[in-house]
Amino acid sequence: MKSKQITAGILSLAIGLTSAGMAMAAPAAGGAKASAKQAPTVSIKAGDKKAADQKVTDQKVTDPTSIKSLNHKTTIPLLVEAEKRYLYAMAGGSGEKEEAFNYNGKEYRYLSADIDTKEELLKYLMKTYTKQASEFFIKKYIIEHDGRLAQLNADAGNQLEFDRATAKMISMTDTKRVYKVNVPSKDAKVSSKYIMVKFAKVGDYWRIDTAPHLIF
């Protein structure tokens, strides 16, 4: 009889503890739900995103050779700088009169001392062009003579105003882009020229992946 009383007491105690535990869990669950309901929701309005994107687009490029974000705005200063480097190379460099010589029946001139080796010229061009585009240009227009780089003794230039150009993206990946560039002419009687230009990301910076003589 005594054994039955002890067993009944244990059962009563167990039931009581279980009920107490359920009672304590209920407020906790309710509190969790309340916390979930009170958690703030962060959302970005379309207008804010557009303004942020516009801010990035409107940022002025201070160094065209260090463009990390390529868009229809930043392509232009990169093209302008690339044109300067192309014309510098095509003009023979610094402008100082260099020794001319005849080779295969044509008159050539040496490039100025700062770009008269392939290593120096590549380093100069690759500030705006990829290595592939730079080498394509060198192979077409530059020769090596007596250990120095040389070119035909002729001047180069164009009537296009790349500083007034506009660009429209045609295709893109994380490391490759193609833009259609509309370039006005200095001659008002000549219509604008459309040029397809390829870009590639080299390390952290964007470079032009089309050979300069195919653009300028």
Side-chain angles (χ1 to χ4, degrees):
M1 183 69 178
K2 187 175 181 180
S3 176
K4 290 182 179 180
Q5 289 177 347
I6 292 172
T7 302
I10 291 173
L11 288 172
S12 298
L13 179 60
I15 292 170
L17 288 173
T18 301
S19 299
M22 292 176 65
M24 292 176 65
K33 289 181 180 179
S35 298
K37 289 180 180 179
Q38 292 172 4
T41 301
V42 179
S43 61
I44 301 175
K45 295 180 180 179
D48 294 339
K49 185 178 186 300
K50 184 177 180 181
D53 291 342
Q54 188 65 37
K55 185 177 180 181
V56 172
T57 300
D58 290 344
Q59 287 179 346
K60 291 185 177 180
V61 175
T62 56
D63 182 2
T65 67
S66 300
I67 293 173
K68 293 185 177 182
S69 178
L70 192 71
N71 55 51
H72 68 285
K73 292 287 187 180
T74 57
T75 55
I76 304 306
L78 179 54
L79 281 165
V80 170
E81 179 64 24
E83 181 188 30
K84 290 177 183 177
R85 290 174 183 266
Y86 164 70
L87 293 177
Y88 184 84
M90 287 297 287
S94 63
E96 298 177 6
K97 189 172 182 178
E98 294 291 337
E99 179 187 352
F101 60 92
N102 287 316
Y103 179 72
N104 288 340
K106 296 179 181 180
E107 186 177 76
Y108 283 79
R109 66 187 174 204
Y110 289 110
L111 274 61
S112 58
D114 57 329
I115 56 171
D116 69 349
T117 68
K118 186 175 180 180
E119 182 181 14
E120 290 170 332
L121 183 55
L122 271 176
K123 183 179 179 181
Y124 178 72
L125 292 173
M126 285 172 61
K127 285 290 186 177
T128 52
Y129 301 95
T130 61
K131 184 178 181 180
Q132 181 180 0
S134 301
E135 288 184 331
F136 188 26
F137 162 71
I138 292 172
K139 185 177 181 180
K140 184 173 179 63
Y141 288 100
I142 308 296
I143 67 168
E144 186 171 349
H145 186 264
D146 291 339
R148 297 179 62 191
L149 297 185
Q151 64 188 175
L152 284 171
N153 196 4
D155 294 327
N158 63 55
Q159 292 293 310
L160 300 177
E161 294 186 293
F162 279 86
D163 57 337
R164 295 199 300 120
T166 56
K168 180 180 179 181
M169 187 169 64
I170 302 302
S171 65
M172 69 171 288
T173 68
D174 290 342
T175 57
K176 299 281 186 180
R177 304 280 169 87
V178 177
Y179 279 83
K180 183 178 181 180
V181 184
N182 180 14
V183 193
S185 173
K186 295 175 185 177
D187 186 346
K189 297 179 180 179
V190 179
S191 59
S192 298
K193 184 177 181 180
Y194 287 92
I195 305 170
M196 301 298 287
V197 184
K198 294 186 294 183
F199 296 83
K201 199 165 191 180
V202 180
D204 292 330
Y205 306 118
W206 285 94
R207 297 288 184 255
I208 294 171
D209 199 29
T210 299
H213 56 282
L214 300 179
I215 304 172
F216 309 110

